[in-house]
Amino acid sequence: AMTTAARPTFHPAQGGEDVGYYRMKEGTRQLSVRDLAGHTRLKLRAQGQGSSADVAGKDMVAELRDREDRARDKAILGGKLDASDATSSAGR
């Protein structure tokens, strides 16, 4: 006795581009949700979120140095850094 696996397929196997599950004898108008375009709009930065207009008037180097100086002073006061180490690392 032969098993059911030996039965011929309803549509004979055909090579080419449209192979397997997606092979269709006729066209179809049915679309999958996965075929549709999603996320079609870009979010733009709002005022105050670092847009080019916000950044244009800033002196970022001066702000960075100010923050570094405050962090160094805080480390000296907290005892994590010696005053002699802080002056040698300042090197400007």
Side-chain angles (χ1 to χ4, degrees), residues 19-68:
V19 177
Y21 175 77
Y22 297 102
R23 184 183 68 225
M24 298 190 186
K25 293 290 180 187
E26 300 170 7
T28 179
R29 287 194 270 152
Q30 187 175 10
L31 284 176
S32 170
V33 172
R34 295 180 182 127
D35 293 333
L36 299 175
H39 303 288
T40 57
R41 294 198 174 95
L42 290 176
K43 290 173 68 175
L44 301 176
R45 291 180 187 242
Q47 192 71 23
Q49 291 185 329
S51 64
S52 56
D54 293 337
V55 176
K58 289 186 177 182
D59 184 7
M60 292 190 177
V61 174
E63 289 180 15
L64 177 64
R65 286 184 178 154
D66 184 43
R67 285 196 305 268
E68 286 177 343

